Amino acid sequence: MKIRGKVIKYGDNIDTDVIIPARYLNTHDPSELAKHCMEDIDRTFHSRVKPGDIIVAGKNFGCGSSREHAPIAIKASGISCVIAETFARIFYRNAINIGLPILECPEAAKAINDGDEVAVDLAAGKIYNLTSGCEYTAAPFPDFMQEIINADGLMGYIKRKAAKATES
Amino acid sequence: MAMTMTQKILADHAGLEYVVPGQLIKAKVDMVLGNDITSPVAISEFRKTGFKKVFDVNKIAIVPDHFTPNKDIKSAEQVRYIREFVKEMGIVHFFEVGQMGVEHALLPEKGLVVAGDVVIGADSHTCTYGALGAFSTGVGSTDMAAAMATGEAWFKVPEAIKFILKGKPGRWVSGKDIILHIIGMIGVDGALYKSMEFTGDGISHLGMDDRFTIANMAIEAGAKNGIFPVDEKTIEYMKEHSTKPYKIYEADEDAEYSKVYTIDFSEIKPTVAFPHLPENTRTIDQVGDIKIHQVVIGSCTNGRISDLRIAAEVMKGRKVHPDVRCIIIPATQKIWKQAMKEGLFDIFIDAGAAISTPTCGPCLGGHMGILAKGERAVATTNRNFVGRMGHTESEVYLASPAIAAASAIAGRIASPDEL
Ligand code: SF4
């Protein structure tokens, strides 16, 4: 999957309470959630985000609660990929499980600036900063996670496995 | 192959002789948990994918606790959606208002988790049950959905950090101060993806409630889980609360740890985490003069009976400061009843505090005590992120029940010794 978009950049420890505040968790409708994505840290996010845009952030992105509403809100906002120095672990697995592409790459996360134009080749783990001309390599996904992503998330993966098991 | 306590539990549940850090495994789960925020997402995933039955009606616990008793129509709709699913599937452990408590206080109390279990919960503080010597960790709603369907979850086997606990805690030093001290020391990503394994003879000075508090906040250091060895106190607790068989795992003597810290309880002072991260800690003597508007004593971190006893001890015969609202939320119905029987409510009410039915409520800025712009709260909860308890320009200071109760009286962050 090839991804290309403009970067919206944030700092360290972006927690799930600012990604989607708890006061909006009385719904799980993705488009409703998207309306409030990032609003406690960045009131302009919802108005300026465009389909395909990429979030780049510092350390421990997505720390805090286990709410899957956080990656869901980001994905429903049109964000195509999140690149960070590191991710909090529950956010990491949630993003994989719902099919939001994420890449851990400290060099890229540090060097890329807000507003840069970036392209990503997920399968190869390559990140290209089209604005600066720099190129970065993130650790590729282990096979097992690649399988989950290819099956469009964890539930698709399980269904596929179940179907295979009944065939044989 | 030497293994840590967590690695041994995972290996056993994956049907493997041994596991190594970084290995991806599928493990059987003994309990799957969800709440009123995360279960609806899990249920719609489960339904979308077309599964007809859950893997085991006795191994799923659903606790609507965040916005209950329902605070608005949307929240009520979410719980109705859950209720219909629970009935259709025949899920046994569903806790309605009236039996409900904050999930992580409720599950151990109901005996649904014991030593040696693998538990996943669609709530980040599922790591609380490590206090019992179980492997428990927070996951997302899709993981919950998958586990409800298959009884399994995928894990990356974590490395571990060892915390050798020694010495005896001083007056007013509790599990909360110990874990805040540790998070202040290693940072909010200090244990990212790792297990925090606690060991050492200092543990014998900690009651189960203190251990629950410490394991509860392992996630605030980024950890996958926090885990305590099983001793007489753990066994006594399990005998009192559960009929489930338990299994005791011990780390191998020569297990590998990525880091080892020694923590001497006698050197820890009451500790407060300043906004807006749990790692921004200061000891009580360095706090300065911070006026407050609200105190919340409750949550899955510190809403247990010993927490309420300490708060009552501090508040007895005193009055809540006129500029402060003090809200006390026993974490479960059983704790509520016990506190009432012991006369703690008389103390709280005479002091001018409000007592709520069990709920997460203000802990996540849901209801029952939301902060206005510019207001400050001292809370016994576990997170003080921007906007966590209300307005984005409000502030939350995390502290123990003793400090919270003393602050309610003083009108500023204070130690009971200053009253
Ligand atoms: S009390 Fe707070 S931290 Fe605990 S489960 Fe409820 S919202 Fe989460």
Side-chain angles (χ1 to χ4, degrees):
Chain A
M1 190 171 23
K2 290 268 200 304
I3 288 167
R4 184 179 169 158
K6 211 180 189 142
V7 166
I8 301 180
K9 186 152 185 188
Y10 297 108
D12 292 341
N13 299 314
I14 298 299
D15 62 76
T16 52
D17 276 286
V18 301
I19 297 173
I20 181 73
R23 57 185 179 278
Y24 304 119
L25 299 182
N26 52 6
T27 175
H28 59 278
D29 175 359
S31 58
E32 276 291 311
L33 294 170
K35 281 186 205 154
H36 304 290
C37 191
M38 306 309 271
E39 79 173 29
D40 279 1
I41 197 180
D42 177 3
R43 296 238 161 236
T44 67
F45 177 82
H46 182 63
S47 55
R48 72 181 160 127
V49 66
K50 298 213 177 47
D53 281 359
I54 292 170
I55 288 180
V56 176
K59 286 188 290 185
N60 206 21
F61 186 88
C63 62
S65 92
S66 66
R67 62 190 71 156
E68 214 158 276
H69 312 65
I72 291 174
I74 291 175
K75 196 178 176 196
S77 297
I79 292 291
S80 60
C81 178
V82 184
I83 300 166
E85 283 181 49
T86 54
F87 290 93
R89 61 159 281 279
I90 305 180
F91 183 91
Y92 188 88
R93 65 186 293 146
N94 284 348
I96 306 264
N97 284 345
I98 67 153
L100 170 69
I102 55 174
L103 287 174
E104 217 164 62
C105 184
E107 302 75 39
K110 282 190 189 122
I112 295 171
N113 294 312
D114 192 77
D116 284 359
E117 194 69 25
V118 165
V120 176
D121 181 343
L122 273 187
K126 290 274 183 205
I127 301 167
Y128 309 94
N129 187 342
L130 305 175
T131 307
S132 70
C134 294
E135 188 183 316
Y136 310 91
T137 310
F141 287 121
D143 290 349
F144 167 74
M145 283 185 197
Q146 196 73 53
E147 270 186 68
I148 294 180
I149 291 171
N150 292 344
D152 203 25
L154 182 62
M155 293 308 278
Y157 171 79
I158 286 173
K159 265 202 103 174
R160 258 188 215 180
K161 288 260 149 166
K164 264 198 201 143
T166 43
E167 269 165 34
S168 56
Chain B
M1 193 73 207
M3 287 189 283
T4 66
M5 198 171 163
T6 295
Q7 289 160 4
K8 280 192 179 173
I9 298 176
L10 286 175
D12 244 9
H13 283 75
L16 298 168
E17 206 56 18
Y18 64 86
V19 293
V20 293
Q23 189 176 347
L24 281 161
I25 55 159
K26 262 191 232 132
K28 291 211 177 332
V29 296
D30 300 295
M31 187 57 67
V32 182
L33 164 72
N35 59 45
D36 50 332
I37 290 177
T38 56
S39 303
V41 182
I43 293 167
S44 65
E45 276 300 311
F46 185 94
R47 289 206 188 277
K48 250 193 283 172
T49 329
F51 287 98
K52 295 279 174 279
K53 274 197 330 215
V54 297
F55 84 107
D56 188 332
V57 292
N58 283 300
K59 291 187 178 170
I60 296 168
I62 299 190
V63 190
D65 55 356
H66 282 60
F67 296 153
T68 51
N70 288 132
K71 66 163 184 145
D72 57 18
I73 295 169
K74 280 186 180 172
S75 316
E77 296 289 348
Q78 299 231 90
V79 182
R80 189 184 62 180
Y81 183 64
I82 295 171
R83 213 176 273 126
E84 285 165 3
F85 178 76
V86 162
K87 283 225 173 97
E88 182 187 330
M89 295 291 152
I91 290 168
V92 177
H93 305 295
F94 173 67
F95 299 95
E96 194 56 90
V97 169
Q99 303 144 46
M100 179 273 280
V102 176
E103 52 198 306
H104 310 305
L106 192 68
L107 260 59
E109 181 191 287
K110 294 282 180 191
L112 297 178
V113 182
V114 291
D117 279 354
V118 166
V119 182
I120 62 162
D123 189 280
S124 59
H125 293 102
T126 303
C127 53
T128 309
Y129 322 128
L132 291 167
F135 170 80
S136 62
T137 192
V139 296
S141 294
T142 300
D143 283 304
M144 179 189 173
M148 286 199 299
T150 65
E152 288 183 341
W154 65 269
F155 299 106
K156 195 163 157 190
V157 176
E159 290 189 312
I161 302 178
K162 183 170 172 172
F163 293 85
I164 303 170
L165 309 178
K166 60 173 204 179
K168 199 174 168 216
R171 180 88 172 125
W172 307 123
V173 173
S174 67
K176 183 60 157 287
D177 304 291
I178 294 166
I179 190 64
L180 286 176
H181 171 84
I182 290 174
I183 297 165
M185 188 173 78
I186 67 173
V188 291
D189 60 353
L192 200 58
Y193 302 112
K194 298 193 169 79
S195 334
M196 296 168 79
E197 295 210 359
F198 299 102
T199 153
D201 39 8
I203 292 174
S204 63
H205 297 295
L206 301 174
M208 288 313 295
D209 286 2
D210 279 320
R211 299 182 201 184
F212 282 123
T213 305
I214 293 172
N216 175 269
M217 289 190 74
I219 178 74
E220 259 58 65
K224 180 170 211 141
N225 69 318
I227 195 163
F228 278 85
V230 176
D231 65 8
E232 308 84 65
K233 282 188 190 164
T234 329
I235 291 171
E236 200 186 307
Y237 182 95
M238 291 190 292
K239 283 204 176 129
E240 191 188 329
H241 294 88
S242 188
T243 51
K244 259 177 83 166
Y246 59 85
K247 184 161 178 195
I248 299 174
Y249 291 85
E250 279 172 43
D252 289 319
E253 295 253 323
D254 53 344
E256 264 185 52
Y257 295 90
S258 63
K259 266 192 191 143
V260 179
Y261 294 97
T262 302
I263 312 274
D264 186 345
F265 289 164
S266 66
E267 285 168 11
I268 294 179
K269 293 181 187 160
T271 301
V272 178
F274 275 47
H276 290 285
L277 281 177
E279 69 182 21
N280 293 338
T281 54
R282 293 192 202 172
T283 51
I284 190 73
D285 47 330
Q286 300 171 334
V287 160
D289 184 19
I290 298 192
K291 299 257 181 309
I292 56 160
H293 309 88
Q294 180 163 298
V295 165
V296 174
I297 298 174
S299 85
C300 59
T301 317
N302 282 120
R304 298 185 180 80
I305 191 68
S306 52
D307 301 316
L308 301 182
R309 285 182 189 137
I310 292 170
E313 184 187 334
V314 173
M315 290 172 80
K316 188 166 188 175
R318 299 189 162 110
K319 292 274 181 231
V320 171
H321 190 277
D323 297 338
V324 175
R325 296 96 59 179
C326 179
I327 302 162
I328 295 177
I329 312 178
T332 67
Q333 290 287 81
K334 188 175 174 189
I335 296 166
W336 209 96
K337 193 172 168 189
Q338 181 68 24
M340 183 177 65
K341 269 208 257 173
E342 291 180 17
L344 308 186
F345 287 177
D346 290 326
I347 295 172
F348 296 142
I349 292 170
D350 290 344
I355 301 160
S356 159
T357 195
T359 182
C360 294
C363 172
L364 81 162
H367 59 146
M368 296 296 294
I370 304 302
L371 298 175
K373 185 173 174 177
E375 288 191 327
R376 293 197 193 100
V378 174
T380 66
T381 55
N382 47 39
R383 289 195 175 128
N384 55 354
F385 300 151
V386 172
R388 175 78 177 176
M389 199 175 276
H391 196 279
T392 50
E393 284 171 46
S394 62
E395 294 182 341
V396 178
Y397 295 76
L398 305 175
S400 70
I403 298 297
S407 305
I409 305 294
R412 61 183 170 83
I413 302 177
S415 151
D417 292 334
E418 297 171 57
L419 299 177

